[in-house]
Amino acid sequence: MLQNLKVILDIQELDMKMIRLMRLKKERLKEIEHIDSLRQELQKQQVEKQDEIAELSRTISNQEDKITEIKERLKKLETKQNSVKKVDEFNALTHEMTTSERERIATEQITSDLIDKRNLEEEILGKIKESLEQSEESSRNLENEIKESIRLINLEGSDLKVSRDEMAKTAEPEVLRIYQRLLNNKKDRVVVPIENRTCSGCHIALTAQHENVVRKGERLTFCEHCSRIHYWQESAAIEGTAVATKRRRRKAAGV
Ligand SMILES: [Zn+2]
């Protein structure tokens, strides 16, 4: 049975690499999303500010029309006043002119305030445009860098997949199927050694009896706590797998 696990252990190493790669890719994609959302936020602010300024300009133009109207009215009143003879008519016109004059001053004041406001908004718009340009400039480099790293991840991923598919052909289908189901579930190593009579997947202590069964290696043995498949580290049967090589290397390095 352990013989069947040998190839699964090697497949598992590739799958772990693939999971790490996909996590990395996800992170990098998130970074791109973040850059995008910052830019979109600035673009949104820019559009809103432009709309606001356009609305102000319309109001200002209406106010200016109103001022022109009042001025024309005043001119007509003045002409009329020059031609009247009666004092009370003259006075009535003077009163009307004073009212219009007040209206003109008030309207001009409102218009001037609106123009001040528009100048201020245009200044803000300028700043938004500036930071948009800056962020586009700086994010473009970062974005290219991230895209390149995603391209490399994809390359490495497809290489991994080829090796994995090749290896999977040599695995015992039933064991592979069980392994695959566990892996999909846990997204983590699911064929794990027993260490100090403890499952190295869930770190829960195991019985001596369970350890003995695993040590014999006659059948697939699952952790009763986390359902992972157990194997016996020292078993000669796993010699030659990636795990054994790694262990040897660690030993050689004195780790
Ligand atoms: Zn466990």
Side-chain angles (χ1 to χ4, degrees), residues 199 201-204 223 225-228 230:
C199 167
C202 67
H203 307 290
I204 295 177
C223 175
H225 310 287
C226 69
S227 311
R228 286 180 173 86
H230 283 154

